[in-house]
Amino acid sequence: MSHNTFGHLFRFTSWGESHGPSIGCVIDGCPPGLKLDETYIQQFLDKRRPGTSKYVTQRQEADQVKILSGVFGGKTTGTPISLRIENTDQRSRDYGDIKDVYRPGHADFTYDAKYGFRDYRGGGRSSARETAMRVAAGAVARKVLGDGVVIRGALTQIGSKMIDGENWDWDEVVKNPFFCPDKSMANEWAEYLDGIRKDGNSVGAIVEVQAEGVPAGWGAPVYGKLDTEIAAALMSINAAKGVEIGSGFATASFSGTDNADEIRMQDGKPLFLTNNAGGILGGISNGDTIVARMAIKPTSSILTPRKTITRGGKETEIRTKGRHDPCVGIRAVPVAEAMLACVLADQKLRHRGQVG
Amino acid sequence: MSHNTFGHLFRFTSWGESHGPSIGCVIDGCPPGLKLDETYIQQFLDKRRPGTSKYVTQRQEADQVKILSGVFGGKTTGTPISLRIENTDQRSRDYGDIKDVYRPGHADFTYDAKYGFRDYRGGGRSSARETAMRVAAGAVARKVLGDGVVIRGALTQIGSKMIDGENWDWDEVVKNPFFCPDKSMANEWAEYLDGIRKDGNSVGAIVEVQAEGVPAGWGAPVYGKLDTEIAAALMSINAAKGVEIGSGFATASFSGTDNADEIRMQDGKPLFLTNNAGGILGGISNGDTIVARMAIKPTSSILTPRKTITRGGKETEIRTKGRHDPCVGIRAVPVAEAMLACVLADQKLRHRGQVG
Amino acid sequence: MSHNTFGHLFRFTSWGESHGPSIGCVIDGCPPGLKLDETYIQQFLDKRRPGTSKYVTQRQEADQVKILSGVFGGKTTGTPISLRIENTDQRSRDYGDIKDVYRPGHADFTYDAKYGFRDYRGGGRSSARETAMRVAAGAVARKVLGDGVVIRGALTQIGSKMIDGENWDWDEVVKNPFFCPDKSMANEWAEYLDGIRKDGNSVGAIVEVQAEGVPAGWGAPVYGKLDTEIAAALMSINAAKGVEIGSGFATASFSGTDNADEIRMQDGKPLFLTNNAGGILGGISNGDTIVARMAIKPTSSILTPRKTITRGGKETEIRTKGRHDPCVGIRAVPVAEAMLACVLADQKLRHRGQVG
Amino acid sequence: MSHNTFGHLFRFTSWGESHGPSIGCVIDGCPPGLKLDETYIQQFLDKRRPGTSKYVTQRQEADQVKILSGVFGGKTTGTPISLRIENTDQRSRDYGDIKDVYRPGHADFTYDAKYGFRDYRGGGRSSARETAMRVAAGAVARKVLGDGVVIRGALTQIGSKMIDGENWDWDEVVKNPFFCPDKSMANEWAEYLDGIRKDGNSVGAIVEVQAEGVPAGWGAPVYGKLDTEIAAALMSINAAKGVEIGSGFATASFSGTDNADEIRMQDGKPLFLTNNAGGILGGISNGDTIVARMAIKPTSSILTPRKTITRGGKETEIRTKGRHDPCVGIRAVPVAEAMLACVLADQKLRHRGQVG
């Protein structure tokens, strides 16, 4: 069962609500002997942390991670790694206005339909705050993968404004608050998002993640395919509405001659002349860069009044005040990287288990 | 672990290769007392069966399913349902030309990289023949869901030719060999695919599946989300390269005011004024129609010679003869329906288990 | 995978080491709407707590449980329940004498063989301290089962001294420090254990647990049998070396006429005239009391010097000082109850999921 | 979920009923490249096969296994291995007398209580016939373990007649129809069982299985312990009522000085001077021989009339005619060996996956 657990041999279970005392996760199946400390994990959390620029939520959370178990003498022991982050900014407020009203686009109605009630304090379990623990787990997953596998992500589209792939420069990603690999688009986005933010509106985005250095042979047909698990991993992220691998939806309009990546030899190894496959064939890595993309819908919390209903079934309107991300896609980049890392770490161990 | 098993409480394990004696699956966790016979399952298999029109592979397979266990007195017993289909058209042929050559776009290279060898007879385990068992499992899943849930699918795009959503008519889907809901586009596709087929080429497609009648409350945060599992289910289908829910990738360019579906009351129940969410919020069904789409890449087996390498690492070319689908997306429609049915059946039982 | 997770629909994952900052668990799949608070859980933990009598370890641990998530407004929400206990008595000491020596009967050598090193501070993850979290999870499991199912346990043997089953009185169990249901044997054990304790020795025990009120029909053939999962649950407890159901090992010498429990009707329900089956037939509950027993080996930490080896492969001797249980079987009683509760809660939900 | 599936990385799913057309299993996660053919598997099935002596059921089943997938060119491919055995002796008979009556000691009542009906033809899914597939899966598991691990079993007790451990001779096991390692006891059992059989009665037994050559380090704390999984594996076998590891229940009366196995060095490796632990400490193998025992209750199908009830709740009596095992423990020996092999194969792969 996978309700709050992700992965198989390398797996983590997350817990916690946005307005509870803390959130955390338990990572199980991690190989022993890996160097691990809080500072290392923290650097990844800091990329996702709220309040880092005016383009993300102004909630103030230090997101300081503590390791509670599974590390001894600076190294992983092979037993469960428990991580915890205190919720420090549980701003005391009056929930009277939203307590009994379902916010459109949020999980308020569905949690109530499922469980018979809901945690109305900021979304409870459905809050994107949970993704902090994915980032923490992903940091550990990177250790499992080792330095040979490089995972990184970028934002390729905000609203209708798409980067120019020709301008892609990984060095740019860290230089702007959008994880944008296209320098000129970063400036355009800044202006564009300022407008969105001032309007109290929000906008969607597309995130791309890549993994270089994955050897050929990871993945497992037919329901444990690498792309299957990447799709699940990314779609499980809050606000995700679509996932694609390699050329993805574009392949629908390709012909067979356009699509299948031809192969040559280079330095004694297969070289794929194109990468429409996104590094995966038949659910198994082919040694080329793994490429996945996901669509993130716009934040549903906006200032414009929206038609909705109350718990009691009365029609009403709601206007969501509060400290929200004008483009939640930005902070989804480190989360997507982390989920890709977790899938790959798990598949690495499973491959090693079955094939040796 | 999920290598060849799909699902949790309602789950199936498939086995078999395209050129082995037979293929099959074992369905476990099915509730007892459901009426089930071979004729019922067969009708779904017949929709996916090869050789039904000139637009699909001419391989001749009757795909006659046999129930070997789990049904007694015409009803499911609650114990494993074993299903088997004999492979009847294992045309004896000389594989000498492809035995040691990796077909681009196929899993030949990756299976070899993973397992140290491959079954060169038609793809072995990576063959789309495996999807017959998904369709069989999906037929049983529909029984679990009951008549209140209606699952159906259609092809919305072949190559660059997209249907006009305004023309959508479910009655048309069964009247053409493409599962096309747009009558005028069906004619256009016929001509278009004739050309593709005669060129020995192939083309991609987009499949849409819908489930009506799903009650609000199915699904399970945060790694067992309904959309997460639908994404995994569809991405596990051969040739799938992308999956989206509701408005999917389009939401990337939406603003918050465009996106979140407003709610009114109708007949004492919530009515969503739009369905960008595709019937799912926070990973849980909201009672609206569940809508998912997937991109299917063009068949990689084409007549045009393609650059590739041999097992021994020599550069060469390959031209794939044989009986292939010019658009494998067509036969993916019943497969996608089946996978959606399996996800929903499993989530129904899990919801009932946890919440009662 | 089940390394540090127990259960399927109702499942928990435990973490933590005996000498780390804290231990905890995450319970997932709990139904929503159940009343739950720390005081309720605490009462079960207090039964297992060290330092409650001279017959158990003198380590001082308050074992105060905190609920960190999954409960809102005093009720379970259906999302993960995170529980934590601080380790307060991590007595600072010099481990120099045992750091590089494997204690016979402990997991020191095997953890090192598996992971390449070990946490030498009191056993680390292999410490019986982990069982506190089982007790906490079991308390929640009891809520899932409801008042209709009564789970209780007793000690039936310490060393060679067995209770007389004729004297069984559940009311006695809470009146002595041994969970002994036989008043006269409780006095005998007190004297016997005093001797063992003063000798710095230890002794084994047998624990019996029972569940009354389980309806017929829980369990799932053939690898998810109720007795299979009870066997796993009990054998996973530290120091367990044997498990039996109903008449257990005694049935080996029974004849068919002795063994099979005959059935009559009483008050419109089946009445089993004997209960050799221990309430389970074919892996499914039959409505009679479920009865299981487990053998607990003597604590391996004793004052008598024992032959052993060092990490470096040198022969040596060890004498384990410290605060140990002369009969660890005593504190295993609430742990065994908890594990039985967890198995039953999970099976209840799985049964409801599949059969409705 | 583990209802009809056993194991994690190396796992199998069994299906089929005693009186259906066939039974089978699907083995998933098997490493590629292992030599495997039907003749090899058959030798293990022949040890469990009915009709081999007058001390086992006279049902005539050839139990010829067929490999339907997962083997290519005589070697495993890494994809699912499907195995099938036709049921040839489904003797046509009148079930009128047992159709509506619950046989005491059988799963008739509990299957009906769970599923709402039952397959009255010989037990259906609850029949010991299912264990043939465990033996087949176990044969494959032995291949995964390789020649370095030797798994074998013996019967150590029939009814009240126990072997003398001093006489243990593995060579004797194959020389008598009881898998008895004590030559003199084999003769005694022959006479004893003749009497039981002629009386139409039955008797219980104890099976011991051992695995030699398991390296130190397999197993996984705390819920995936090696002994936990062996306990589950053996308890899942039909008619099993108890399981113990090493000195098992006897350790309850041991003192700490008796119990913990002392360690010396021999040929540069640790040597345990005794093996009360049964080769497992803290759930992890210590390199010594793994020893487990299970109690098998007497066959419930006997000629003596027994009190029972009908489906309709009427009191009646039943006398079970037919071809039954006077001591079903005999044929449980190869089944127990197989289950031990499956646990070890799975743990081997999981260990390799996590630790490398």
Side-chain angles (χ1 to χ4, degrees):
Chain A
M1 302 300 298
S2 58
H3 294 175
N4 291 280
T5 298
F6 187 84
H8 300 270
L9 264 189
F10 178 88
R11 60 199 170 287
F12 69 96
T13 302
S14 79
W15 55 268
E17 293 97 35
S18 57
H19 286 66
S22 52
I23 57 174
C25 73
V26 185
I27 300 163
D28 198 7
C30 185
L34 305 175
K35 277 191 190 177
L36 190 71
D37 59 30
E38 290 160 358
T39 309
Y40 164 78
I41 301 174
Q42 195 63 46
Q43 66 180 312
F44 295 96
L45 284 166
D46 287 348
K47 290 175 69 181
R48 193 213 73 100
R49 194 158 53 83
T52 53
S53 84
K54 63 182 173 182
Y55 305 107
V56 299
T57 174
Q58 296 306 301
R59 179 170 169 158
Q60 294 300 324
E61 289 288 1
D63 278 357
Q64 288 295 319
V65 70
K66 287 284 169 201
I67 298 176
L68 300 179
S69 70
V71 175
F72 182 61
K75 290 187 178 170
T76 59
T77 60
T79 57
I81 301 167
S82 177
L83 303 176
R84 192 194 58 207
I85 292 173
E86 303 284 348
N87 286 332
T88 54
D89 185 9
Q90 308 160 58
R91 197 179 283 195
S92 156
R93 53 167 288 200
D94 176 14
Y95 292 99
D97 53 343
I98 62 159
K99 193 166 176 285
D100 290 319
V101 181
Y102 300 129
R103 294 168 300 162
H106 280 284
D108 299 352
F109 168 66
T110 54
Y111 267 63
D112 206 352
K114 183 175 191 69
Y115 297 122
F117 59 97
R118 68 181 176 103
D119 182 345
Y120 47 76
R121 303 163 308 166
R125 183 68 182 154
S126 70
S127 164
R129 185 138 185 71
E130 186 270 344
T131 60
M133 301 324 303
R134 301 176 185 233
V135 172
V140 179
R142 286 176 197 256
K143 286 283 182 179
V144 176
L145 293 168
D147 293 338
V149 175
V150 176
I151 292 170
R152 46 194 180 177
L155 211 60
T156 63
Q157 187 177 328
I158 289 185
S160 54
K161 295 180 181 294
M162 216 173 299
I163 64 158
D164 180 349
E166 296 293 312
N167 297 339
W168 194 296
D169 180 354
W170 280 113
D171 292 338
E172 287 299 321
V173 165
V174 294
K175 295 182 183 159
N176 60 70
F178 311 110
F179 303 106
C180 181
D182 174 352
K183 189 177 181 173
S184 63
M185 185 51 72
N187 297 327
E188 206 172 322
W189 283 353
E191 196 177 344
Y192 176 58
L193 270 186
D194 270 337
I196 297 284
R197 192 171 52 84
K198 283 170 188 160
D199 290 352
N201 208 342
S202 63
V203 74
I206 291 182
V207 175
E208 179 167 326
V209 281
Q210 298 186 7
E212 286 173 87
V214 174
W218 291 3
V222 296
Y223 301 110
K225 284 176 175 164
L226 197 47
D227 35 0
T228 296
E229 298 195 350
I230 292 171
L234 297 183
M235 195 66 99
S236 75
I237 297 172
N238 304 46
K241 296 304 287 183
V243 178
E244 59 182 11
I245 305 292
S247 295
F249 273 89
T251 64
S253 40
F254 284 5
S255 72
T257 41
D258 300 328
N259 181 66
D261 305 308
E262 292 185 299
I263 324 177
R264 297 284 80 179
M265 292 299 292
Q266 192 178 58
D267 305 330
K269 290 173 59 182
L271 173 77
F272 291 88
L273 301 183
T274 48
N275 191 13
N276 291 317
I280 304 170
L281 288 168
I284 301 172
S285 59
N286 67 8
D288 206 343
T289 301
I290 288 173
V291 180
R293 242 164 275 108
M294 72 169 171
I296 295 289
K297 69 178 186 184
T299 318
S300 297
S301 300
I302 51 175
L303 288 177
T304 314
R306 307 287 293 161
K307 293 176 187 156
T308 190
I309 58 171
T310 65
R311 287 197 79 191
K314 291 211 166 13
E315 300 189 340
T316 184
E317 291 203 337
I318 193 166
R319 195 172 151 269
T320 314
K321 288 159 289 184
R323 301 155 296 162
H324 300 288
D325 290 275
C327 177
V328 76
I330 299 170
R331 295 203 294 136
V333 173
V335 180
E337 290 178 3
M339 292 307 289
L340 180 57
C342 288
V343 169
L344 290 170
D346 187 27
Q347 288 276 10
K348 175 185 178 174
L349 301 191
R350 285 151 67 186
H351 176 73
R352 185 163 75 183
Q354 186 184 7
V355 177
Chain B
M1 302 298 297
S2 59
H3 294 176
N4 291 279
T5 298
F6 187 85
H8 300 269
L9 263 189
F10 178 88
R11 60 198 170 285
F12 69 95
T13 302
S14 79
W15 56 267
E17 294 96 35
S18 58
H19 286 65
S22 52
I23 58 175
C25 73
V26 184
I27 300 163
D28 199 6
C30 185
L34 304 175
K35 277 191 190 176
L36 190 71
D37 60 30
E38 290 160 358
T39 308
Y40 164 78
I41 301 173
Q42 195 63 45
Q43 65 181 315
F44 295 96
L45 285 166
D46 287 348
K47 289 175 69 181
R48 195 214 71 102
R49 193 158 54 83
T52 53
S53 84
K54 63 183 174 181
Y55 305 107
V56 299
T57 174
Q58 296 306 302
R59 178 168 168 158
Q60 293 300 323
E61 288 288 1
D63 277 358
Q64 288 295 320
V65 70
K66 287 284 168 202
I67 298 175
L68 299 180
S69 70
V71 175
F72 182 61
K75 290 187 178 170
T76 58
T77 60
T79 57
I81 301 168
S82 177
L83 303 176
R84 191 193 60 207
I85 291 173
E86 303 282 348
N87 286 332
T88 54
D89 186 9
Q90 308 160 58
R91 198 179 280 196
S92 157
R93 53 167 288 197
D94 177 14
Y95 291 98
D97 52 344
I98 62 158
K99 194 167 177 286
D100 291 320
V101 181
Y102 300 129
R103 294 168 301 164
H106 280 284
D108 299 352
F109 168 66
T110 53
Y111 268 63
D112 207 352
K114 183 174 192 69
Y115 297 123
F117 59 98
R118 67 178 175 106
D119 182 345
Y120 47 76
R121 303 162 309 167
R125 183 66 183 154
S126 70
S127 164
R129 185 137 185 72
E130 187 270 343
T131 61
M133 300 324 303
R134 300 175 186 234
V135 172
V140 179
R142 286 175 197 257
K143 285 282 182 181
V144 176
L145 293 168
D147 293 339
V149 175
V150 176
I151 292 169
R152 46 193 180 176
L155 213 60
T156 63
Q157 187 177 329
I158 288 185
S160 54
K161 294 180 183 295
M162 217 174 297
I163 64 157
D164 179 350
E166 296 293 311
N167 296 339
W168 194 295
D169 181 353
W170 280 112
D171 292 339
E172 286 299 321
V173 165
V174 294
K175 294 183 183 160
N176 61 68
F178 310 109
F179 303 107
C180 181
D182 174 351
K183 189 177 181 174
S184 63
M185 185 50 74
N187 296 328
E188 206 172 321
W189 283 352
E191 197 177 342
Y192 176 59
L193 269 187
D194 270 336
I196 298 285
R197 192 172 52 85
K198 282 171 189 157
D199 289 353
N201 208 340
S202 64
V203 75
I206 291 181
V207 175
E208 179 167 325
V209 281
Q210 297 187 7
E212 286 174 86
V214 173
W218 291 4
V222 296
Y223 301 110
K225 283 177 176 164
L226 197 48
D227 35 0
T228 295
E229 298 195 350
I230 292 170
L234 297 183
M235 196 65 101
S236 75
I237 297 172
N238 305 46
K241 295 304 288 182
V243 179
E244 60 182 10
I245 305 292
S247 294
F249 273 88
T251 64
S253 39
F254 283 5
S255 72
T257 40
D258 300 328
N259 181 66
D261 305 307
E262 292 185 300
I263 323 177
R264 298 283 80 178
M265 292 299 292
Q266 192 179 59
D267 304 331
K269 291 172 61 181
L271 173 77
F272 292 88
L273 301 182
T274 49
N275 191 12
N276 290 316
I280 304 171
L281 288 168
I284 301 172
S285 59
N286 67 8
D288 206 344
T289 301
I290 288 172
V291 180
R293 243 165 274 108
M294 72 170 169
I296 295 289
K297 70 179 185 183
T299 319
S300 298
S301 300
I302 51 176
L303 289 177
T304 312
R306 308 288 293 163
K307 292 176 187 157
T308 190
I309 57 170
T310 66
R311 288 197 78 190
K314 291 211 166 14
E315 298 190 342
T316 183
E317 290 204 337
I318 193 167
R319 193 173 151 269
T320 314
K321 289 160 291 186
R323 300 155 297 163
H324 301 288
D325 290 276
C327 176
V328 77
I330 299 171
R331 294 203 294 136
V333 173
V335 180
E337 290 177 5
M339 292 307 289
L340 181 57
C342 288
V343 168
L344 290 170
D346 186 26
Q347 288 276 10
K348 175 184 177 175
L349 301 191
R350 285 151 67 187
H351 176 73
R352 185 164 73 183
Q354 187 184 5
V355 178
Chain C
M1 303 298 298
S2 58
H3 295 175
N4 291 281
T5 298
F6 187 84
H8 300 270
L9 264 189
F10 178 88
R11 59 198 171 287
F12 69 96
T13 301
S14 79
W15 56 268
E17 293 97 35
S18 58
H19 286 66
S22 52
I23 58 174
C25 74
V26 184
I27 299 164
D28 198 7
C30 185
L34 305 175
K35 277 191 191 177
L36 190 71
D37 60 30
E38 290 160 358
T39 308
Y40 164 77
I41 301 174
Q42 195 63 47
Q43 65 180 313
F44 295 97
L45 285 165
D46 287 348
K47 290 175 68 182
R48 194 214 72 101
R49 195 158 52 85
T52 53
S53 83
K54 62 182 174 182
Y55 305 107
V56 299
T57 173
Q58 296 306 301
R59 179 170 168 157
Q60 293 300 325
E61 289 287 1
D63 278 357
Q64 287 295 320
V65 70
K66 287 283 169 202
I67 298 176
L68 300 179
S69 70
V71 175
F72 182 61
K75 290 188 178 169
T76 59
T77 60
T79 56
I81 300 167
S82 178
L83 303 177
R84 192 194 58 207
I85 292 173
E86 304 283 347
N87 286 333
T88 54
D89 185 9
Q90 309 158 59
R91 197 179 283 196
S92 157
R93 53 167 287 199
D94 177 13
Y95 291 100
D97 52 343
I98 63 158
K99 192 166 178 286
D100 291 319
V101 180
Y102 300 130
R103 295 168 299 164
H106 280 285
D108 299 352
F109 167 66
T110 54
Y111 267 63
D112 206 352
K114 183 175 191 70
Y115 297 122
F117 59 98
R118 68 180 176 104
D119 182 345
Y120 47 77
R121 304 162 307 167
R125 183 66 182 155
S126 70
S127 164
R129 186 139 184 70
E130 186 269 344
T131 59
M133 300 323 303
R134 302 175 185 232
V135 172
V140 180
R142 286 176 197 256
K143 285 283 183 181
V144 176
L145 293 168
D147 293 338
V149 175
V150 176
I151 293 170
R152 46 194 180 177
L155 212 60
T156 63
Q157 187 177 329
I158 290 185
S160 54
K161 294 180 181 296
M162 216 172 299
I163 64 158
D164 179 348
E166 296 293 311
N167 296 341
W168 194 295
D169 180 354
W170 281 112
D171 293 337
E172 287 299 321
V173 166
V174 294
K175 295 183 184 160
N176 59 71
F178 311 109
F179 304 107
C180 181
D182 174 351
K183 189 176 180 175
S184 62
M185 185 52 72
N187 298 328
E188 206 171 323
W189 284 352
E191 196 177 345
Y192 176 58
L193 270 186
D194 271 336
I196 298 285
R197 193 171 52 83
K198 283 170 189 159
D199 289 351
N201 208 341
S202 64
V203 75
I206 291 181
V207 175
E208 178 166 327
V209 281
Q210 298 188 7
E212 285 173 89
V214 173
W218 291 4
V222 296
Y223 301 111
K225 283 176 177 165
L226 197 48
D227 35 0
T228 295
E229 299 195 349
I230 293 170
L234 297 183
M235 196 67 100
S236 75
I237 297 172
N238 304 45
K241 296 304 288 182
V243 179
E244 59 182 12
I245 305 291
S247 294
F249 273 88
T251 65
S253 40
F254 283 5
S255 72
T257 40
D258 300 328
N259 181 66
D261 305 307
E262 292 185 299
I263 324 177
R264 297 283 81 178
M265 292 299 292
Q266 191 177 61
D267 304 331
K269 291 172 60 182
L271 173 77
F272 292 87
L273 301 182
T274 49
N275 190 14
N276 291 316
I280 304 171
L281 287 168
I284 301 172
S285 60
N286 67 9
D288 206 343
T289 301
I290 289 173
V291 180
R293 243 164 273 107
M294 72 169 171
I296 295 289
K297 70 178 186 184
T299 318
S300 298
S301 300
I302 51 175
L303 289 176
T304 313
R306 307 288 292 163
K307 293 176 187 158
T308 189
I309 58 171
T310 66
R311 287 197 79 191
K314 290 209 167 16
E315 299 189 342
T316 182
E317 290 203 339
I318 193 167
R319 195 172 149 268
T320 314
K321 288 160 290 185
R323 301 156 295 162
H324 300 288
D325 290 274
C327 176
V328 77
I330 299 171
R331 294 203 293 136
V333 173
V335 180
E337 290 178 4
M339 291 308 288
L340 180 57
C342 288
V343 168
L344 290 170
D346 187 26
Q347 289 276 9
K348 175 184 177 175
L349 301 190
R350 285 151 69 188
H351 177 73
R352 185 163 72 183
Q354 185 184 8
V355 177
Chain D
M1 303 299 297
S2 59
H3 294 176
N4 291 281
T5 298
F6 187 85
H8 300 270
L9 264 189
F10 178 88
R11 62 199 169 286
F12 69 95
T13 302
S14 80
W15 56 268
E17 294 96 35
S18 59
H19 286 67
S22 51
I23 59 175
C25 73
V26 184
I27 300 163
D28 199 7
C30 185
L34 304 176
K35 277 191 191 176
L36 191 71
D37 60 29
E38 290 159 358
T39 308
Y40 165 77
I41 301 173
Q42 195 62 47
Q43 66 181 312
F44 295 96
L45 285 165
D46 287 348
K47 289 175 69 181
R48 195 214 71 103
R49 192 158 54 82
T52 53
S53 83
K54 64 182 172 181
Y55 305 106
V56 299
T57 173
Q58 297 306 301
R59 179 169 168 159
Q60 293 301 321
E61 289 287 1
D63 277 358
Q64 288 295 319
V65 70
K66 287 284 167 202
I67 299 175
L68 300 179
S69 70
V71 175
F72 182 61
K75 289 187 178 169
T76 58
T77 60
T79 56
I81 301 167
S82 177
L83 303 176
R84 192 194 58 208
I85 292 173
E86 303 283 348
N87 286 333
T88 53
D89 185 10
Q90 306 160 58
R91 197 179 283 196
S92 157
R93 54 166 287 199
D94 177 13
Y95 292 99
D97 52 343
I98 62 158
K99 193 167 177 285
D100 291 319
V101 181
Y102 301 129
R103 295 168 299 164
H106 281 282
D108 299 352
F109 168 66
T110 54
Y111 268 63
D112 207 352
K114 183 175 191 70
Y115 297 122
F117 59 99
R118 67 178 176 107
D119 182 345
Y120 47 78
R121 303 162 309 167
R125 182 66 182 156
S126 70
S127 164
R129 186 138 185 72
E130 187 270 345
T131 60
M133 300 324 303
R134 301 176 185 233
V135 172
V140 179
R142 286 175 196 257
K143 285 283 181 180
V144 176
L145 293 168
D147 293 339
V149 175
V150 176
I151 292 169
R152 47 193 179 177
L155 212 60
T156 63
Q157 187 177 328
I158 289 185
S160 54
K161 294 179 181 297
M162 217 174 297
I163 64 158
D164 180 349
E166 297 293 311
N167 296 339
W168 194 295
D169 180 354
W170 280 112
D171 293 338
E172 286 300 320
V173 165
V174 294
K175 294 182 183 161
N176 60 70
F178 310 109
F179 304 107
C180 181
D182 174 352
K183 190 177 180 173
S184 63
M185 185 50 73
N187 298 327
E188 205 172 322
W189 284 353
E191 196 177 342
Y192 175 58
L193 270 186
D194 271 336
I196 298 285
R197 191 172 53 84
K198 282 169 189 161
D199 289 352
N201 208 341
S202 64
V203 76
I206 291 181
V207 175
E208 179 167 326
V209 281
Q210 298 187 7
E212 285 173 88
V214 174
W218 291 4
V222 295
Y223 302 110
K225 283 176 175 165
L226 197 48
D227 35 0
T228 295
E229 298 195 350
I230 292 170
L234 297 183
M235 196 65 100
S236 75
I237 297 172
N238 305 45
K241 296 305 288 183
V243 178
E244 60 181 10
I245 305 292
S247 295
F249 273 88
T251 65
S253 39
F254 283 7
S255 72
T257 40
D258 300 327
N259 180 66
D261 306 306
E262 293 185 299
I263 324 177
R264 297 283 81 178
M265 292 299 292
Q266 191 178 59
D267 304 331
K269 291 172 59 182
L271 173 77
F272 292 88
L273 300 182
T274 49
N275 191 13
N276 290 317
I280 304 171
L281 287 167
I284 302 172
S285 59
N286 67 8
D288 206 342
T289 301
I290 288 172
V291 180
R293 241 164 275 108
M294 72 169 169
I296 295 288
K297 71 178 185 184
T299 319
S300 298
S301 301
I302 51 175
L303 289 177
T304 312
R306 307 287 293 162
K307 291 177 188 157
T308 190
I309 58 170
T310 66
R311 287 198 79 190
K314 291 212 169 7
E315 299 191 341
T316 182
E317 291 204 338
I318 193 166
R319 195 172 150 269
T320 314
K321 290 159 288 184
R323 302 155 295 163
H324 301 288
D325 291 275
C327 176
V328 76
I330 300 171
R331 295 204 292 137
V333 173
V335 180
E337 290 178 4
M339 292 307 289
L340 180 57
C342 288
V343 168
L344 290 170
D346 186 27
Q347 289 275 10
K348 175 185 177 175
L349 301 191
R350 285 151 66 187
H351 177 73
R352 185 163 74 183
Q354 187 185 5
V355 178

